Amino acid sequence: HAESQRLAAILDARGATGDRVLLRYDGLPELAVATLAVACTSMVVVLVDPGDPPERVASLADAVAAVVLLTDLPPVDGLTVPTVAHDEPAPEHVGPVRLGTDRDPASLGSIAFTSGSTGAPKGIMLPIAERRSTERVLALLDLDSIAGRRFGLPFVGSAAGVDSSLHSTLALGSTTYGFDVRRQGLHELEGWLLDTSVDTFAGVPTLFRFLLTLIEPDRTFPALRLLVSFGEPLDWALVADLRPHLAPDAQVLNVFGLTEARTVAGMLVGPEDPIGEGAVPAGVPLDGIEVSVVGEDGEPVPAGAVGEIVVASSSCGLGYWGMEELSAQVFTALPDGRRRVRTGDAGRLGPDGVLEATGRLDHIVKVAGNRVDLAEVEAALIALPDVGVGAVVAVDDQDGGTRLRAAVVAAPGRDPSPAELRHALGARLSRWLLPDLIEVLDTLPTLPNGKVDRQALAADAGADPVAPAAPAPAGGRSVATLEQDLLAIWQEVLVRPDLGMDDDFFDAGGDSLRAARAFAEMHHRLDLDRPLSLLLEHRTVRSLAPALAAEDVSWGALVRVRDDGDRPPLFVIHGGFGEVLFADRLAELLGPDQPVYGLRAEALDGHPLAADSLEQVAQGYLDQVRAVRPHGPYALYGFSLGGLIAYEMAVRLRAAGEQVALLAIGDTAAPVDHRSPETGRERVARHVARIRALDPVAGAGYAWALTRRQLADRRRRLAVRKERARRAAEMARLDRLTNGGLPVPPELRGDHALLQYGLLAARYRPSETYDGPAVFLLAELSIADRSWDELLVDGFDTVAVTGRHRSMEIEPGLRDVAEALASRLAAAPVSS
């Protein structure tokens, strides 16, 4: 107290209420004294990292118009702001120090600059009231048990929570012990915990995981009775791993918050509480904290639905210093004096009021058109027994897309290879969630506060770009030369300089978009025009190169995806764009005993179709199917436009006396002549009936999909004229090529197939009905027509599939498709 009064007297002579004071400290006891001194003078605390370069310190001083820099370090060169040394003696003949106790709790108490993990740092203005936020967290426990505790705190000098943590622990009668991360290093944490005998320790989960990689399996910390986790998601697996090392009565307190809103909620896990799965809930909102979860329109979503977490309280931030426009997007002043903050975090509120945080909204990325939650991938990575600490980031691809990169530190005694880790991860995650590149490092880059430095990981990912393959002549190329050319293209497209001849394209991070790009590069650089579906049969460079070198490559429809197994094979018919690459993942999901063949569009060769009706297309496909399976039973699955072809194939097989064990139609609109002309009122009635048939959540999603289609149409008309002009130019080019009898280039093959088969589908008029077993797979948010009743005369099951129409080609929708097909294929007869 005496020391803080000495510093307060010095500051009181140099500034007034509300003036900003920079604190740049290397020691926690000294910082505690300094923060109390600034509070007494009613000035504003601005913490500066002691490791910041002089330019950074000067820029912060200028940004906040600081009146003084208070420090226990040597002066900063070139700083125009006056510097006061921590040990400077108090001035003589000073008046009484203002204690600041009469200040409005809503007035500015500190400015916390972010660590920079999400871009340029922002100065978050925090009210005096937020200094009690840590105290409210500890109130989840018995306050009597807090007094006298030995509270361990990782100290990095500038973390936004240091100020409030010091004020709260001192107010509650605890002793604070600072672990200097920069000086002592994380390797010293084990010894420090034992030497200090702290009974309460706060840290980020990354810090706890790193500790587990250092200690022996039988190491315990008998004094440690409360572990406080904050700053990052905490998972139940980590809680289970920590328990054997803590005191028998130890508790784990999971705290959810962010600098803008301070501490929001807490979940206390006792020693007898069962271990759950996945992430530990954020918990119950603290006293005085109002939490809601809203949708994109800002309105609250139903209990259990995911949306953005919004917080309202008197301790929420006041805004960003000097950034009024951004502040208005995030902070809202309420009539009762509180502030509301849009956190940017996704979560759900359960009916019991417990908050679950599901990750950052800006951690949701699109990879090859798939929605990927980085937190989900990271949780699965950390759960691997070979991994001690790990992180996943999204980085920009060379072709303008996004890819995932992971970095790990191995668990003690483990030495996994990246290939082993990716294989193990593939057993837990869908292929489209797998990182393209996994690196095993000695340590992860971290920020001063102990969190993983994701910007550094993302920057390192692009440090060693792969040089593009040099063009090669079209002919006279040996298989060995072709292997090297092809490997270079794959390494570039997959951004995998470590890729080898025997690495599986899809296991190495490939997907349909990257496959299309690889084959387009082969066409332009190597003058090789081959079916993309060759990848389903030749998934490595060593296997694909001879197939590419063959002069008589077939553009026929039939593709062998998997021919193992004794069950009748499933024949998967392409959708409008012609490819069946999704059949590969479908085969994996169906299991090793189910043979699968794909039927790709023959129009993908770039030439006009020889067939002039969908009936002829179906018969041509049947000829190829019966070449590998002369007699039934047959199982057919057609997605989108392929549903019409599958239907015609099934009708023809039945007419030939063959058994059709299964006809599966994937979100395909029924042929138009089997629907009565529909008025606007009837169309509305049909949509209303559909909504009522769904559960409330799916019904709301369906209604929203209809609304979004109307809004999208309006936006397309008003805002994307340039894109429409580009698309029109492409289609005009396509029309000129096809009408002139010229081959279509690879980049337009999908559009070419859609145009060719779409015209045939529009003219298709089924001549017969089908009286065999059938299932209609309907995307939950699709508006596909279900009026197949007049054609599927024996009736049909309707199975809902997660997502929209195109979701049926990717997971999780594709998994729903596989489950529906698997149950019916298992019941199908093996022979006629």
Side-chain angles (χ1 to χ4, degrees):
H1 178 73
E3 286 292 290
S4 65
Q5 287 294 296
R6 175 182 59 80
L7 284 181
I10 297 172
L11 295 174
D12 192 55
R14 291 177 175 267
T17 297
D19 284 343
R20 276 71 63 197
V21 178
L22 296 186
L23 300 185
R24 185 171 182 259
Y25 273 81
D26 200 36
L28 183 62
E30 293 78 9
L31 179 62
V33 171
T35 57
L36 291 174
V38 178
C40 287
T41 60
S42 301
M43 293 183 182
V44 177
V45 171
V46 184
L47 294 181
V48 178
D49 194 299
D52 279 348
E55 295 79 5
R56 161 81 170 183
V57 178
S59 66
L60 290 180
D62 291 341
V64 299
V67 297
V68 67
L69 168 66
L70 189 59
T71 183
D72 65 349
L73 292 167
V76 178
D77 293 335
L79 191 66
T80 58
V81 175
T83 298
V84 172
H86 181 77
D87 57 1
E88 183 173 317
E92 298 180 0
H93 310 298
V94 297
V97 176
R98 297 188 303 273
L99 295 180
T101 55
D102 58 344
R103 291 188 65 194
D104 181 359
S107 60
L108 181 61
S110 63
I111 302 175
F113 279 87
T114 59
S115 60
S117 63
T118 57
K122 300 184 291 288
I124 303 165
M125 298 185 289
L126 300 171
I128 292 174
E130 73 85 20
R131 286 180 176 149
R132 295 184 60 86
S133 60
T134 302
E135 192 173 337
R136 284 195 294 269
V137 174
L138 298 177
L140 288 172
L141 309 167
D142 182 359
L143 282 178
D144 292 338
S145 69
I146 298 298
R149 281 217 169 183
R150 303 164 68 88
F151 192 88
L153 183 70
F155 173 62
V156 294
S158 65
V162 170
D163 186 25
S164 60
S165 296
L166 287 172
H167 279 263
S168 296
T169 53
L170 291 173
L172 294 170
S174 301
T175 302
T176 300
Y177 291 76
F179 177 73
D180 194 323
V181 178
R182 294 164 296 107
R183 284 183 176 177
Q184 296 170 267
L186 293 177
H187 289 272
E188 299 296 325
L189 179 57
E190 176 186 4
W192 180 86
L193 288 171
L194 293 170
D195 293 342
T196 57
S197 295
V198 293
D199 50 32
T200 303
F201 184 71
V204 296
T206 297
L207 183 69
F208 301 148
R209 292 191 185 96
F210 192 85
L211 176 64
L212 290 174
T213 67
L214 301 176
I215 62 178
E216 297 295 330
D218 58 351
R219 166 64 69 198
T220 60
F221 302 95
L224 199 52
R225 294 164 49 210
L226 176 64
L227 208 60
V228 182
S229 175
F230 65 91
E232 296 174 343
L234 174 68
D235 59 81
W236 283 108
L238 180 57
V239 175
D241 291 341
L242 288 168
R243 271 185 173 175
H245 304 286
L246 307 178
D249 62 343
Q251 299 171 302
V252 176
L253 179 60
N254 185 36
V255 173
F256 170 72
L258 69 163
T259 307
E260 286 86 344
R262 306 310 296 142
T263 311
V264 175
M267 175 78 172
L268 187 63
V269 181
E272 304 300 328
D273 290 333
I275 297 295
E277 295 184 355
V280 177
V284 179
L286 306 182
D287 288 343
I289 305 292
E290 179 186 329
V291 175
S292 58
V293 177
V294 304
E296 294 180 359
D297 57 359
E299 294 298 319
V301 299
V306 175
E308 181 181 8
I309 299 173
V310 176
V311 179
S313 79
S314 59
S315 59
C316 283
L318 305 172
Y320 298 113
W321 180 268
M323 306 172 75
E324 295 182 1
E325 184 175 343
L326 181 60
S327 296
Q329 298 173 14
V330 177
F331 301 88
T332 302
L334 301 177
D336 59 5
R338 299 178 303 156
R339 270 88 51 208
R340 182 169 56 225
V341 175
R342 300 195 69 149
T343 66
D345 284 308
R348 61 170 66 89
L349 269 174
D352 55 358
V354 174
L355 176 67
E356 293 182 40
T358 58
R360 290 287 302 170
L361 291 173
D362 52 12
H363 285 181
I364 304 296
V365 298
K366 281 291 188 72
V367 178
N370 301 311
R371 187 176 184 269
V372 175
D373 187 341
L374 297 181
E376 177 186 357
V377 182
E378 194 166 292
L381 181 70
I382 294 171
L384 297 178
D386 286 335
V387 174
V389 183
V392 178
V393 294
V395 296
D396 293 335
D397 206 344
Q398 292 179 343
D399 59 359
T402 300
R403 62 188 179 92
L404 303 184
R405 186 229 180 183
V408 305
V409 175
R414 306 275 188 158
D415 186 25
S417 69
E420 291 170 338
L421 291 175
R422 201 169 191 279
H423 179 75
L425 200 59
R428 300 172 180 241
L429 295 175
S430 303
R431 176 180 291 158
W432 49 278
L433 291 172
L434 295 179
D436 294 343
L437 179 65
I438 300 178
E439 291 186 289
V440 181
L441 307 176
D442 293 332
T443 184
L444 296 183
T446 58
L447 296 163
N449 58 11
K451 294 183 182 181
V452 175
D453 188 345
R454 299 180 186 277
Q455 280 192 315
L457 277 181
D460 290 345
D464 299 305
V466 184
R477 188 182 297 106
S478 67
V479 171
T481 301
L482 184 57
E483 285 179 342
Q484 294 303 318
D485 293 338
L486 182 59
L487 180 63
I489 291 175
W490 280 27
Q491 288 176 338
E492 177 187 350
V493 169
L494 297 174
V495 199
R496 287 288 304 273
D498 60 326
L499 195 75
M501 293 286 185
D502 298 308
D503 288 329
D504 186 292
F505 180 86
F506 295 103
D507 288 344
D511 51 40
S512 59
L513 294 179
R514 290 186 175 95
R517 184 186 169 202
F519 273 64
E521 292 298 323
M522 286 157 41
H523 178 70
H524 293 304
R525 298 182 187 181
L526 309 179
D527 197 27
L528 289 171
D529 188 10
R530 298 293 188 264
L532 181 59
S533 301
L534 276 178
L535 269 178
L536 296 178
E537 302 177 76
H538 307 283
R539 300 160 61 113
T540 68
V541 168
R542 199 179 304 280
S543 172
L544 182 60
L548 293 174
E551 296 295 333
D552 57 345
V553 174
S554 171
W555 283 89
L558 194 70
V559 181
R560 186 187 73 253
V561 181
R562 178 194 288 140
D563 54 9
D564 298 330
D566 299 326
R567 303 202 59 78
L570 174 68
F571 293 92
V572 181
I573 298 96
H574 63 84
F577 288 98
E579 275 298 351
V580 285
L581 288 183
F582 67 91
D584 175 67
R585 179 55 180 161
L586 179 60
E588 287 186 13
L589 293 170
L590 290 174
D593 296 330
Q594 178 59 58
V596 176
Y597 289 83
L599 288 163
R600 67 188 169 208
E602 292 180 325
L604 291 174
D605 65 356
H607 295 281
L609 270 176
D612 58 9
S613 70
L614 208 67
E615 290 87 343
Q616 289 184 19
V617 171
Q619 185 58 54
Y621 289 176
L622 275 179
D623 293 342
Q624 297 184 56
V625 165
R626 300 190 74 172
V628 297
R629 186 172 180 83
H631 299 289
Y634 294 95
L636 307 173
Y637 168 51
F639 166 64
S640 191
L641 179 141
L644 298 178
I645 302 175
Y647 174 85
E648 182 63 27
M649 292 172 66
V651 167
R652 288 171 177 260
L653 285 169
R654 296 281 286 177
E658 295 290 349
Q659 182 180 10
V660 178
L662 176 64
L663 168 62
I665 297 174
D667 210 44
T668 308
V672 293
D673 67 325
H674 282 268
R675 294 176 292 169
S676 302
E678 190 177 45
T679 66
R681 179 176 297 179
E682 290 171 337
R683 183 166 57 253
V684 171
R686 175 165 56 84
H687 290 313
V688 169
R690 174 76 189 284
I691 292 170
R692 289 175 175 171
L694 297 170
D695 63 72
V697 175
Y702 181 85
W704 177 234
L706 292 175
T707 304
R708 287 187 66 181
R709 167 174 283 197
Q710 294 175 342
L711 293 174
D713 288 342
R714 183 175 300 174
R715 283 197 299 269
R716 278 194 291 269
R717 289 194 300 269
L718 298 176
V720 292
R721 294 176 182 173
K722 181 177 179 180
E723 173 61 21
R724 291 178 67 187
R726 183 195 67 79
R727 185 72 173 163
E730 276 190 356
M731 297 309 291
R733 177 187 174 204
L734 180 60
D735 189 56
R736 289 194 301 272
L737 291 170
T738 53
N739 288 338
L742 299 173
V744 176
E747 62 268 21
L748 294 179
R749 296 281 173 83
D751 290 327
H752 171 63
L754 182 62
L755 179 62
Q756 296 279 299
Y757 292 96
L759 292 173
L760 300 185
R763 299 197 299 264
Y764 176 54
R765 300 294 183 267
S767 58
E768 300 289 342
T769 58
Y770 171 76
D771 59 357
V775 59
F776 184 64
L777 304 167
L778 179 66
E780 287 181 337
L781 302 182
S782 170
I783 56 174
D785 215 318
R786 301 173 63 179
S787 14
W788 283 88
D789 308 68
E790 299 176 25
L791 295 173
L792 305 176
V793 293
D794 273 3
F796 57 93
D797 298 329
T798 299
V799 177
V801 176
T802 302
R804 297 173 174 80
H805 181 70
R806 296 302 298 273
S807 302
M808 301 183 75
E809 296 180 286
I810 58 177
E811 295 186 65
L814 188 61
R815 188 177 295 272
D816 294 343
V817 171
E819 290 177 357
L821 296 179
S823 62
R824 288 160 176 81
L825 290 169
V830 175
S831 60
S832 300

